[in-house]
Amino acid sequence: QKEVEQDPGPLSVPEGAIVSLNCTYSNSAFQYFMWYRQYSRKGPELLMYTYSSGNKEDGRFTAQVDKSSKYISLFIRDSQPSDSATYLCAMRENNNDMRFGAGTRLTVKP
Amino acid sequence: EPEVTQTPSHQVTQMGQEVILRCVPISNHLYFYWYRQILGQKVEFLVSFYNNEISEKSEIFDDQFSVERPDGSNFTLKIRSTKLEDSAMYFCASSEEAYGYTFGSGTRLTVV
């Protein structure tokens, strides 16, 4: 079993839709959970981070972490064409390296 | 907004040659990292660097790889004898704390 599982998509939605992106993981020691957005040929850009379980909201983005289920989610409300990118989940233990999911390619159609 | 700068943006090298990829992390950051992303595949951890030494490295980071912080601002990744399978995007990242890495735009390495 891979340490971090993420459906690579592609995922295509109409403008204005709610997007749900998810990752599962196997390492119960992960404590920090991040979502990155990566445009083509660019480095990953941090969108959200959460420590341990819970929800965090930032504008149109909401991150959820359920450590009991080893499941994290990113919701995008009122999706825009500019949200079209690859979204990567990432997680780490306290001071260890970060493990990335494979990334989900999202296209928001006008 | 502070950013991580990587040079060159694209490097083409012949198999067996040495390459040095350069990075200028954000000035007040203490942790530095190299990641790579083979085309169409996931971002993979190579190495982390803190307090002037390697703090962790992956199985990918073998004896062909080395890192250096030669002058307090630059952070370099050297590949001693490149192989075709080293072709990838190499991302440098830095962070102030355990989360929230800032990534550079990457160097595309093509080994021919």
Side-chain angles (χ1 to χ4, degrees), chain B residues 23-41:
Chain B
C23 170
V24 179
I26 293 174
S27 59
N28 64 332
H29 284 186
L30 302 176
Y31 301 84
F32 313 109
Y33 314 86
W34 283 101
Y35 285 78
R36 80 172 185 191
Q37 188 174 30
I38 296 170
L39 186 64
Q41 298 187 25

PDB file of all heavy atoms in Angstrom, chain B residues 23-41:
ATOM      1  N   CYS B  23      19.962  27.101  -6.101  1.00  0.00           N
ATOM      2  CA  CYS B  23      18.747  27.577  -5.448  1.00  0.00           C
ATOM      3  C   CYS B  23      19.130  28.692  -4.483  1.00  0.00           C
ATOM      4  O   CYS B  23      20.162  28.590  -3.804  1.00  0.00           O
ATOM      5  CB  CYS B  23      18.093  26.413  -4.695  1.00  0.00           C
ATOM      6  SG  CYS B  23      16.736  26.853  -3.609  1.00  0.00           S
ATOM      7  N   VAL B  24      18.314  29.730  -4.429  1.00  0.00           N
ATOM      8  CA  VAL B  24      18.450  30.743  -3.393  1.00  0.00           C
ATOM      9  C   VAL B  24      17.166  30.692  -2.560  1.00  0.00           C
ATOM     10  O   VAL B  24      16.112  31.132  -3.005  1.00  0.00           O
ATOM     11  CB  VAL B  24      18.648  32.153  -3.978  1.00  0.00           C
ATOM     12  CG1 VAL B  24      18.760  33.173  -2.848  1.00  0.00           C
ATOM     13  CG2 VAL B  24      19.890  32.187  -4.853  1.00  0.00           C
ATOM     14  N   PRO B  25      17.255  30.114  -1.367  1.00  0.00           N
ATOM     15  CA  PRO B  25      16.058  30.018  -0.507  1.00  0.00           C
ATOM     16  C   PRO B  25      15.658  31.389   0.033  1.00  0.00           C
ATOM     17  O   PRO B  25      16.387  32.369  -0.109  1.00  0.00           O
ATOM     18  CB  PRO B  25      16.521  29.095   0.630  1.00  0.00           C
ATOM     19  CG  PRO B  25      17.794  28.467   0.165  1.00  0.00           C
ATOM     20  CD  PRO B  25      18.408  29.447  -0.777  1.00  0.00           C
ATOM     21  N   ILE B  26      14.522  31.439   0.688  1.00  0.00           N
ATOM     22  CA  ILE B  26      14.076  32.659   1.348  1.00  0.00           C
ATOM     23  C   ILE B  26      15.000  32.933   2.531  1.00  0.00           C
ATOM     24  O   ILE B  26      15.348  32.013   3.286  1.00  0.00           O
ATOM     25  CB  ILE B  26      12.605  32.528   1.779  1.00  0.00           C
ATOM     26  CG1 ILE B  26      11.736  32.448   0.523  1.00  0.00           C
ATOM     27  CG2 ILE B  26      12.176  33.673   2.688  1.00  0.00           C
ATOM     28  CD1 ILE B  26      10.279  32.168   0.774  1.00  0.00           C
ATOM     29  N   SER B  27      15.369  34.190   2.699  1.00  0.00           N
ATOM     30  CA  SER B  27      16.525  34.529   3.539  1.00  0.00           C
ATOM     31  C   SER B  27      16.372  34.136   5.010  1.00  0.00           C
ATOM     32  O   SER B  27      17.347  33.758   5.635  1.00  0.00           O
ATOM     33  CB  SER B  27      16.832  36.026   3.445  1.00  0.00           C
ATOM     34  OG  SER B  27      15.716  36.775   3.867  1.00  0.00           O
ATOM     35  N   ASN B  28      15.200  34.181   5.593  1.00  0.00           N
ATOM     36  CA  ASN B  28      15.085  33.855   7.019  1.00  0.00           C
ATOM     37  C   ASN B  28      14.652  32.408   7.257  1.00  0.00           C
ATOM     38  O   ASN B  28      14.375  32.022   8.398  1.00  0.00           O
ATOM     39  CB  ASN B  28      14.112  34.817   7.710  1.00  0.00           C
ATOM     40  CG  ASN B  28      12.706  34.680   7.171  1.00  0.00           C
ATOM     41  OD1 ASN B  28      12.507  34.298   6.019  1.00  0.00           O
ATOM     42  ND2 ASN B  28      11.719  34.976   7.982  1.00  0.00           N
ATOM     43  N   HIS B  29      14.616  31.621   6.203  1.00  0.00           N
ATOM     44  CA  HIS B  29      14.242  30.213   6.357  1.00  0.00           C
ATOM     45  C   HIS B  29      15.435  29.393   6.821  1.00  0.00           C
ATOM     46  O   HIS B  29      16.586  29.709   6.523  1.00  0.00           O
ATOM     47  CB  HIS B  29      13.676  29.655   5.052  1.00  0.00           C
ATOM     48  CG  HIS B  29      12.276  30.107   4.790  1.00  0.00           C
ATOM     49  ND1 HIS B  29      11.534  29.627   3.742  1.00  0.00           N
ATOM     50  CD2 HIS B  29      11.473  30.978   5.453  1.00  0.00           C
ATOM     51  CE1 HIS B  29      10.332  30.190   3.763  1.00  0.00           C
ATOM     52  NE2 HIS B  29      10.286  31.013   4.790  1.00  0.00           N
ATOM     53  N   LEU B  30      15.125  28.344   7.564  1.00  0.00           N
ATOM     54  CA  LEU B  30      16.167  27.541   8.181  1.00  0.00           C
ATOM     55  C   LEU B  30      16.262  26.125   7.609  1.00  0.00           C
ATOM     56  O   LEU B  30      17.262  25.458   7.804  1.00  0.00           O
ATOM     57  CB  LEU B  30      15.894  27.429   9.695  1.00  0.00           C
ATOM     58  CG  LEU B  30      15.818  28.766  10.451  1.00  0.00           C
ATOM     59  CD1 LEU B  30      15.445  28.504  11.900  1.00  0.00           C
ATOM     60  CD2 LEU B  30      17.150  29.515  10.365  1.00  0.00           C
ATOM     61  N   TYR B  31      15.185  25.678   6.978  1.00  0.00           N
ATOM     62  CA  TYR B  31      15.133  24.318   6.460  1.00  0.00           C
ATOM     63  C   TYR B  31      15.127  24.392   4.937  1.00  0.00           C
ATOM     64  O   TYR B  31      14.408  25.200   4.349  1.00  0.00           O
ATOM     65  CB  TYR B  31      13.859  23.603   6.931  1.00  0.00           C
ATOM     66  CG  TYR B  31      13.727  23.507   8.436  1.00  0.00           C
ATOM     67  CD1 TYR B  31      13.197  24.551   9.180  1.00  0.00           C
ATOM     68  CD2 TYR B  31      14.119  22.354   9.106  1.00  0.00           C
ATOM     69  CE1 TYR B  31      13.077  24.463  10.558  1.00  0.00           C
ATOM     70  CE2 TYR B  31      13.995  22.258  10.488  1.00  0.00           C
ATOM     71  CZ  TYR B  31      13.476  23.310  11.206  1.00  0.00           C
ATOM     72  OH  TYR B  31      13.364  23.221  12.564  1.00  0.00           O
ATOM     73  N   PHE B  32      15.885  23.501   4.322  1.00  0.00           N
ATOM     74  CA  PHE B  32      16.013  23.518   2.863  1.00  0.00           C
ATOM     75  C   PHE B  32      15.836  22.099   2.340  1.00  0.00           C
ATOM     76  O   PHE B  32      16.247  21.130   2.992  1.00  0.00           O
ATOM     77  CB  PHE B  32      17.379  24.076   2.454  1.00  0.00           C
ATOM     78  CG  PHE B  32      17.744  25.334   3.180  1.00  0.00           C
ATOM     79  CD1 PHE B  32      18.744  25.333   4.133  1.00  0.00           C
ATOM     80  CD2 PHE B  32      17.061  26.517   2.927  1.00  0.00           C
ATOM     81  CE1 PHE B  32      19.068  26.485   4.824  1.00  0.00           C
ATOM     82  CE2 PHE B  32      17.380  27.673   3.623  1.00  0.00           C
ATOM     83  CZ  PHE B  32      18.378  27.663   4.572  1.00  0.00           C
ATOM     84  N   TYR B  33      15.264  22.025   1.145  1.00  0.00           N
ATOM     85  CA  TYR B  33      14.896  20.716   0.605  1.00  0.00           C
ATOM     86  C   TYR B  33      15.116  20.682  -0.904  1.00  0.00           C
ATOM     87  O   TYR B  33      15.044  21.710  -1.583  1.00  0.00           O
ATOM     88  CB  TYR B  33      13.404  20.430   0.858  1.00  0.00           C
ATOM     89  CG  TYR B  33      12.936  20.731   2.250  1.00  0.00           C
ATOM     90  CD1 TYR B  33      12.515  22.009   2.597  1.00  0.00           C
ATOM     91  CD2 TYR B  33      12.909  19.738   3.233  1.00  0.00           C
ATOM     92  CE1 TYR B  33      12.085  22.298   3.880  1.00  0.00           C
ATOM     93  CE2 TYR B  33      12.476  20.026   4.519  1.00  0.00           C
ATOM     94  CZ  TYR B  33      12.071  21.308   4.839  1.00  0.00           C
ATOM     95  OH  TYR B  33      11.651  21.590   6.115  1.00  0.00           O
ATOM     96  N   TRP B  34      15.342  19.490  -1.383  1.00  0.00           N
ATOM     97  CA  TRP B  34      15.271  19.223  -2.816  1.00  0.00           C
ATOM     98  C   TRP B  34      14.252  18.111  -3.030  1.00  0.00           C
ATOM     99  O   TRP B  34      14.264  17.097  -2.335  1.00  0.00           O
ATOM    100  CB  TRP B  34      16.623  18.803  -3.390  1.00  0.00           C
ATOM    101  CG  TRP B  34      17.563  19.946  -3.587  1.00  0.00           C
ATOM    102  CD1 TRP B  34      18.602  20.318  -2.777  1.00  0.00           C
ATOM    103  CD2 TRP B  34      17.573  20.875  -4.676  1.00  0.00           C
ATOM    104  NE1 TRP B  34      19.231  21.413  -3.284  1.00  0.00           N
ATOM    105  CE2 TRP B  34      18.628  21.780  -4.447  1.00  0.00           C
ATOM    106  CE3 TRP B  34      16.789  21.039  -5.823  1.00  0.00           C
ATOM    107  CZ2 TRP B  34      18.929  22.828  -5.336  1.00  0.00           C
ATOM    108  CZ3 TRP B  34      17.075  22.061  -6.699  1.00  0.00           C
ATOM    109  CH2 TRP B  34      18.137  22.951  -6.450  1.00  0.00           C
ATOM    110  N   TYR B  35      13.414  18.347  -4.047  1.00  0.00           N
ATOM    111  CA  TYR B  35      12.448  17.362  -4.504  1.00  0.00           C
ATOM    112  C   TYR B  35      12.622  17.213  -6.008  1.00  0.00           C
ATOM    113  O   TYR B  35      13.169  18.098  -6.685  1.00  0.00           O
ATOM    114  CB  TYR B  35      11.010  17.821  -4.235  1.00  0.00           C
ATOM    115  CG  TYR B  35      10.578  17.723  -2.798  1.00  0.00           C
ATOM    116  CD1 TYR B  35      10.976  18.676  -1.856  1.00  0.00           C
ATOM    117  CD2 TYR B  35       9.775  16.675  -2.374  1.00  0.00           C
ATOM    118  CE1 TYR B  35      10.569  18.581  -0.533  1.00  0.00           C
ATOM    119  CE2 TYR B  35       9.368  16.569  -1.053  1.00  0.00           C
ATOM    120  CZ  TYR B  35       9.772  17.524  -0.140  1.00  0.00           C
ATOM    121  OH  TYR B  35       9.375  17.424   1.175  1.00  0.00           O
ATOM    122  N   ARG B  36      12.160  16.114  -6.539  1.00  0.00           N
ATOM    123  CA  ARG B  36      12.144  15.989  -7.982  1.00  0.00           C
ATOM    124  C   ARG B  36      10.794  15.444  -8.435  1.00  0.00           C
ATOM    125  O   ARG B  36      10.068  14.800  -7.666  1.00  0.00           O
ATOM    126  CB  ARG B  36      13.272  15.084  -8.484  1.00  0.00           C
ATOM    127  CG  ARG B  36      12.985  13.603  -8.360  1.00  0.00           C
ATOM    128  CD  ARG B  36      14.024  12.767  -9.026  1.00  0.00           C
ATOM    129  NE  ARG B  36      13.634  11.364  -8.979  1.00  0.00           N
ATOM    130  CZ  ARG B  36      14.433  10.362  -9.299  1.00  0.00           C
ATOM    131  NH1 ARG B  36      15.676  10.606  -9.701  1.00  0.00           N
ATOM    132  NH2 ARG B  36      14.003   9.120  -9.239  1.00  0.00           N
ATOM    133  N   GLN B  37      10.479  15.721  -9.694  1.00  0.00           N
ATOM    134  CA  GLN B  37       9.228  15.246 -10.278  1.00  0.00           C
ATOM    135  C   GLN B  37       9.523  14.794 -11.703  1.00  0.00           C
ATOM    136  O   GLN B  37       9.755  15.626 -12.592  1.00  0.00           O
ATOM    137  CB  GLN B  37       8.167  16.345 -10.256  1.00  0.00           C
ATOM    138  CG  GLN B  37       6.784  15.873 -10.660  1.00  0.00           C
ATOM    139  CD  GLN B  37       5.746  16.959 -10.495  1.00  0.00           C
ATOM    140  OE1 GLN B  37       6.038  18.143 -10.609  1.00  0.00           O
ATOM    141  NE2 GLN B  37       4.501  16.558 -10.218  1.00  0.00           N
ATOM    142  N   ILE B  38       9.566  13.489 -11.880  1.00  0.00           N
ATOM    143  CA  ILE B  38       9.685  12.938 -13.220  1.00  0.00           C
ATOM    144  C   ILE B  38       8.386  13.215 -13.963  1.00  0.00           C
ATOM    145  O   ILE B  38       7.297  13.177 -13.361  1.00  0.00           O
ATOM    146  CB  ILE B  38       9.998  11.437 -13.163  1.00  0.00           C
ATOM    147  CG1 ILE B  38      11.377  11.233 -12.515  1.00  0.00           C
ATOM    148  CG2 ILE B  38       9.946  10.808 -14.539  1.00  0.00           C
ATOM    149  CD1 ILE B  38      11.707   9.788 -12.187  1.00  0.00           C
ATOM    150  N   LEU B  39       8.476  13.509 -15.247  1.00  0.00           N
ATOM    151  CA  LEU B  39       7.312  13.918 -16.029  1.00  0.00           C
ATOM    152  C   LEU B  39       6.151  12.946 -15.845  1.00  0.00           C
ATOM    153  O   LEU B  39       6.298  11.739 -16.061  1.00  0.00           O
ATOM    154  CB  LEU B  39       7.698  14.007 -17.511  1.00  0.00           C
ATOM    155  CG  LEU B  39       6.631  14.563 -18.452  1.00  0.00           C
ATOM    156  CD1 LEU B  39       6.311  16.011 -18.109  1.00  0.00           C
ATOM    157  CD2 LEU B  39       7.068  14.434 -19.907  1.00  0.00           C
ATOM    158  N   GLY B  40       5.022  13.485 -15.427  1.00  0.00           N
ATOM    159  CA  GLY B  40       3.820  12.677 -15.261  1.00  0.00           C
ATOM    160  C   GLY B  40       3.753  11.892 -13.980  1.00  0.00           C
ATOM    161  O   GLY B  40       2.791  11.157 -13.755  1.00  0.00           O
ATOM    162  N   GLN B  41       4.771  12.042 -13.123  1.00  0.00           N
ATOM    163  CA  GLN B  41       4.779  11.279 -11.879  1.00  0.00           C
ATOM    164  C   GLN B  41       4.705  12.214 -10.677  1.00  0.00           C
ATOM    165  O   GLN B  41       4.647  13.416 -10.809  1.00  0.00           O
ATOM    166  CB  GLN B  41       6.037  10.400 -11.824  1.00  0.00           C
ATOM    167  CG  GLN B  41       6.082   9.374 -12.947  1.00  0.00           C
ATOM    168  CD  GLN B  41       7.232   8.400 -12.799  1.00  0.00           C
ATOM    169  OE1 GLN B  41       7.724   8.158 -11.688  1.00  0.00           O
ATOM    170  NE2 GLN B  41       7.662   7.825 -13.907  1.00  0.00           N
TER     171      GLN B  41
END
